Amino acid sequence: MPLFEDAALTGVLIAAIGLGIVQITDNRVYDGVASIGIGIVLIYVAIQLGAEFRALLIGEAVSPNDRERMREAMESPPRCRPRCAC
């Protein structure tokens, strides 16, 4: 899910910028501003995930494409082999 990766990279970027500005200006306010920015990113991700999974929680059906992929995965032979023939 790219949303998690994008949020993580954005959070790291905000933190790095905030800490860089603190080092340059010696003003710790920018550390707090960066923390608030990271919090806003986390709130956005939470809202997006809530909207995405809301439909699943109230019983939205699985798409036919996903259902077929699940069926193929269940019917395919296992991908691992036992270590011994006990």
Side-chain angles (χ1 to χ4, degrees), residues 26-44:
D26 200 27
N27 186 351
R28 303 229 181 256
V29 170
Y30 295 108
D31 189 29
V33 171
S35 297
I36 291 170
I38 293 169
I40 290 170
V41 170
L42 291 175
I43 290 170
Y44 173 76

Side-chain angles (χ1 to χ4, degrees), residues 1 7 12 14-15 19 29 33 37 39 45 48-50 58-59 62 67 69 71 73 79 84:
M1 189 172 287
V12 168
I14 292 171
L19 290 175
V29 170
V33 171
V45 170
Q48 291 298 318
L49 288 176
I58 61 174
V62 176
R67 181 177 291 141
R69 286 181 33 217
R71 185 184 324 273
R79 293 185 178 160
C84 65

Side-chain angles (χ1 to χ4, degrees), residues 73-86:
M74 288 187 290
E75 292 174 352
S76 67
R79 293 185 178 160
C80 59
R81 288 179 255 140
R83 291 183 173 228
C84 65
C86 301

